[in-house]
């Protein structure tokens, strides 16, 4: 049985595809000899690995935490006969960190970035019968790579955990038309009951028609057909334009909310000379995020955000659960605990996470995995991958906010008092780059402290004393630059004044319980038992709820992770407290 055999990209799906998950040949290349010795022309069969699980995980079949910065993968495959005449792409949801791909010994392409998806058209590299794909991956333990919570030391420490090297999300082949839909950008407008559709095509060399059929619960809503002639820009008459836009109407649209997550199914078809040459199925939710007078609005109505921090780790697969039902379970439990949102922390998650949030109704914040000390290489690595990730995740209905920086990670010199202007310029650049791709959502400039330009003010404080948190917040209200919270750093940097943005506590809590009898750590003094844990959480939440200036919070955290044992569930998802007990606290304020 092949684990993770479901279609890997549910938000942009095609019918003709085959999984490449399963057993691959695998080899460590500790001496970095593979390129010189042309391993991509040889059989690689030193070990076997189960894709899509990193070699550090038990599900991979290898399960070692030794550092091996260069690894190779290889497997054979055959293209289905009924794909004859179509283009064939190889698709990767995520490979950490730098990848090189060969098909039948010929170089196809490369990718840098451990969280972003990528693909290559391999049609011209294929032969009849059996084909072979070979992948070389570099993943050095460098703090200059966007790595999030993956330790760059030889062992886990504090809140940094087992690293993940190589393929950690699904790999698959897909058949597409000669002219095909590369991606779309769906911009819902609840005020006009319309969706603006921006599209990008591959293989444009003749006029085509784009057809978009909208349905809901199997019932037809509307169908829009748009002629796409060969077009050029004023600046170039050689290569045709590959993009355009059109508007679809959804009369009397039902809005998406966490309580009622209405979605509309979209079927895109590319038609050439009357024949359908490409078809993609996706969906859209009609919703709107906005802010006014210090409040956050969903669909023009104020909303109080009750979120949980979720790091997305699993004991057997580290970054990768063995089944999508495990992802669905986390989303369902988040809602059962009384939360209406989640901040996916220091990780861009498997597509099924955002898919289930869309389907089941859970607001999400999408956060970049951090580098640490700033330099120009860090800037290049972060800005390139982050822009691609925002584009890749744009159409998920549930995403409310983008978080390019957390707690000054990536510009860590700021926390030591550096006045290097590049640090703040880097943060502000990420803010504006995000806005240049998506002007419809919030951008949190630096979640936690030392914020410059930001749409939301996000505060972290792990005091276990509710009275002390109340006192500190009163000081902050009098002086927005006070270093009053337990990290001792100002929420707003000098030179950046409070401009009425909505304010949230986006990390607090993290209660460890002695009764759990687990090795590891939590924040502050551990609670003696689960009864004391519940009482402490209740007091902390109530203080935040009683502050009229705050529009929400994010509790740390959904599950224990390795040596960090301060979750609402254990690492293997055992409940510590009945969900209904926690829902009375976290679901209290609407």
């Amino acid at each position: 049985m092949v684990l993770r055999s479901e279609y890997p990209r549910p938000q942009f799906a095609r019918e003709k595809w085959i999984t490449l998950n399963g057993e691959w040949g695998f080899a460590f290349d500790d001496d970095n000899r593979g390129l010189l010795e042309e391993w991509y022309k040889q059989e690689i069969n030193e070990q076997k690995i189960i894709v899509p699980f990193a070699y550090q995980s038990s599900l991979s079949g290898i399960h070692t935490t030794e550092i091996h910065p260069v690894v190779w993968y290889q497997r054979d495959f055959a293209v289905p006969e009924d794909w004859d005449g179509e283009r064939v792409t190889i698709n990767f949801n995520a490979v950490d960190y730098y990848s090189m791909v060969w098909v039948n010994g010929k170089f196809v392409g490369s990718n840098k970035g451990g969280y972003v998806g990528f693909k290559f058209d391999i049609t011209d590299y294929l032969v009849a019968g059996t084909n072979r794909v070979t992948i070389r991956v570099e993943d050095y333990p460098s703090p200059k790579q966007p790595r999030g919570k993956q330790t760059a030391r030889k062992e886990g420490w504090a809140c940094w955990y087992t690293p993940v090297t190589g393929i950690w999300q699904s790999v698959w082949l897909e058949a597409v038309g000669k002219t095909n839909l590369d991606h779309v950008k769906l911009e819902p407008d609840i005020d006009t009951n319309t969706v603006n559709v921006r599209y990008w095509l591959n293989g444009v060399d003749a006029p085509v028609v784009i057809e978009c059929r909208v349905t809901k619960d199997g019932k037809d809503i509307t169908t829009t057909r748009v002629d796409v002639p060969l077009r050029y820009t004023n600046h170039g008459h050689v290569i045709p334009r590959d993009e355009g836009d059109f508007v679809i109407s959804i009369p009397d649209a039902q809005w998406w909310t966490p309580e009622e997550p209405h979605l509309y199914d979209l079927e895109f078809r590319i038609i050439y000379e009357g024949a359908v040459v490409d078809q993609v199925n996706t969906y859209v939710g009609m919703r709107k995020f906005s802010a006014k007078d210090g409040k956050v609005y969903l669909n023009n109505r104020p909303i109080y955000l009750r979120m949980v921090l979720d790091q997305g780790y699993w004991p057997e697969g580290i970054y990768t659960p063995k089944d999508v039902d495990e992802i669905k379970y986390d989303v369902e439990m988040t809602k059962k605990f009384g939360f209406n949102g989640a901040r996916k922390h220091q990780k861009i998650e498997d597509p099924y996470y955002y898919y289930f949030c869309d389907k089941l109704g859970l607001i999400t914040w999408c956060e970049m995995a951090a580098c640490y000390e700033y330099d120009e290489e860090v800037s290049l690595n972060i800005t390139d991958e982050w822009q691609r990730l925002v584009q890749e995740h744009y159409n998920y209905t549930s995403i409310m906010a983008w978080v390019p920086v957390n707690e000054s990670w990536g510009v860590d010199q700021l926390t030591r008092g550096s006045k290097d202007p590049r640090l703040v310029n880097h943060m502000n650049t990420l803010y504006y780059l995000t806005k240049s791709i998506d002007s419809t959502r919030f951008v949190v400039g630096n979640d936690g402290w030392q914020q410059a330009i930001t749409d939301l003010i996000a505060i972290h404080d792990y005091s276990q004393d509710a009275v002390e948190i109340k006192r500190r917040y009163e000081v902050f209200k009098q002086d927005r630059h006070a270093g009053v919270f337990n990290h001792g750093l100002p929420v707003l940097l000098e030179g950046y004044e409070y401009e009425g943005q909505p304010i949230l506590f986006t990390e607090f809590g993290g209660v460890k319980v002695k009764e759990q009898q687990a090795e590891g750590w939590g924040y502050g003094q551990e609670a003696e038992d689960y009864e004391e844990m519940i009482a402490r959480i209740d007091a902390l939440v109530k203080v935040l709820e009683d502050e009229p200036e705050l529009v929400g919070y994010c509790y740390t955290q959904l599950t224990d992770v390795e040596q960090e044992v301060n979750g609402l569930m254990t690492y293997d998802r055992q409940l510590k407290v009945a969900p209904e007990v926690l829902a009375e606290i976290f679901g209290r304020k609407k």
Side-chain angles (χ1 to χ4, degrees), residues 67 71 84 111 136 149 199 207 216 262-263 299 334 365 382 430 508 518 525:
I67 297 173
V71 299
D84 186 46
N111 178 76
R136 176 185 182 271
K149 290 299 194 77
Y199 62 85
K216 190 176 191 303
H262 293 288
L263 296 171
N299 302 334
T334 298
W365 285 22
I382 286 285
L430 285 167
F508 76 106
Q525 180 66 39

Side-chain angles (χ1 to χ4, degrees), residues 35-54:
L35 283 176
L36 184 63
E37 296 176 0
E38 298 183 326
W39 287 9
Y40 48 86
K41 294 182 179 179
Q42 305 171 29
E43 183 176 2
I44 297 173
N45 206 20
E46 181 179 308
Q47 298 187 69
K48 298 293 185 183
I49 191 169
I50 304 301
V51 167
F53 304 101

Side-chain angles (χ1 to χ4, degrees), residues 149-215:
K149 290 299 194 77
Q150 300 180 60
T151 181
R153 297 184 181 181
K154 293 182 179 180
E155 67 288 316
W157 62 288
C159 59
W160 282 270
Y161 319 119
T162 304
V164 170
T165 293
I167 299 171
W168 67 274
Q169 288 190 33
S170 291
V171 185
W172 75 103
L173 299 179
E174 200 162 83
V176 301
K178 182 176 181 294
T179 301
N180 60 79
L181 196 61
D182 186 83
H183 67 284
V184 296
K185 190 174 182 180
L186 306 174
E187 301 171 335
D189 187 339
I190 67 168
D191 299 317
T192 61
N193 283 337
T194 61
V195 179
N196 187 67
V197 179
R198 292 198 59 79
Y199 62 85
W200 285 260
L201 299 171
N202 293 316
V204 179
D205 62 2
V208 296
V209 172
I210 296 181
E211 181 181 276
C212 180
R213 178 184 175 218
V214 183
T215 61

Side-chain angles (χ1 to χ4, degrees), residues 151-288:
T151 181
R153 297 184 181 181
K154 293 182 179 180
E155 67 288 316
W157 62 288
C159 59
W160 282 270
Y161 319 119
T162 304
V164 170
T165 293
I167 299 171
W168 67 274
Q169 288 190 33
S170 291
V171 185
W172 75 103
L173 299 179
E174 200 162 83
V176 301
K178 182 176 181 294
T179 301
N180 60 79
L181 196 61
D182 186 83
H183 67 284
V184 296
K185 190 174 182 180
L186 306 174
E187 301 171 335
D189 187 339
I190 67 168
D191 299 317
T192 61
N193 283 337
T194 61
V195 179
N196 187 67
V197 179
R198 292 198 59 79
Y199 62 85
W200 285 260
L201 299 171
N202 293 316
V204 179
D205 62 2
V208 296
V209 172
I210 296 181
E211 181 181 276
C212 180
R213 178 184 175 218
V214 183
T215 61
K216 190 176 191 303
D217 302 324
K219 296 180 180 179
D220 282 323
I221 304 297
T222 186
T223 298
T224 303
R225 291 172 61 93
V226 178
D227 291 324
V228 183
L230 286 181
R231 302 168 300 159
Y232 299 86
T233 72
N234 291 334
H235 303 286
H237 290 160
V238 178
I239 299 175
R241 288 176 57 184
D242 61 358
E243 46 74 35
D245 64 281
F246 60 92
V247 175
I248 57 177
S249 296
I250 302 181
D252 303 315
Q254 294 178 283
W255 297 345
W256 183 94
T257 67
E259 297 75 26
E260 296 183 273
H262 293 288
L263 296 171
Y264 290 84
D265 294 313
L266 306 182
E267 179 186 87
F268 287 98
R269 302 200 302 171
I270 309 300
I271 302 169
Y272 172 67
E273 293 185 345
V276 176
V277 296
D278 193 40
Q279 180 173 315
V280 173
N281 293 299
T282 183
Y283 60 84
V284 68
M286 300 298 292
R287 60 93 183 97
K288 173 185 176 181

Side-chain angles (χ1 to χ4, degrees), residues 256 258 289 298 303 305 307 340-342 361-365 398 400:
W256 183 94
F289 297 121
L298 172 61
I303 183 172
L305 293 172
M307 302 192 298
N340 62 7
L362 187 70
I363 291 169
T364 55
W365 285 22
S398 56
M400 168 187 271

Side-chain angles (χ1 to χ4, degrees), residues 3-24:
L3 296 176
R4 300 306 304 269
S5 60
E6 72 285 339
Y7 183 79
R9 192 184 53 209
Q11 214 265 353
F12 197 78
R14 288 187 170 93
E15 290 186 357
K16 291 185 177 181
W17 71 283
I18 59 172
T19 185
L20 293 185
N21 291 345
E23 188 177 83
W24 290 55

Side-chain angles (χ1 to χ4, degrees), residues 89-110:
T89 62
I90 187 168
N91 301 264
F92 302 84
N93 265 346
V95 183
D96 199 351
Y97 173 66
Y98 175 70
S99 310
M100 302 174 71
V101 180
W102 293 262
V103 172
N104 296 323
K106 297 179 180 178
F107 182 64
V108 172
S110 62

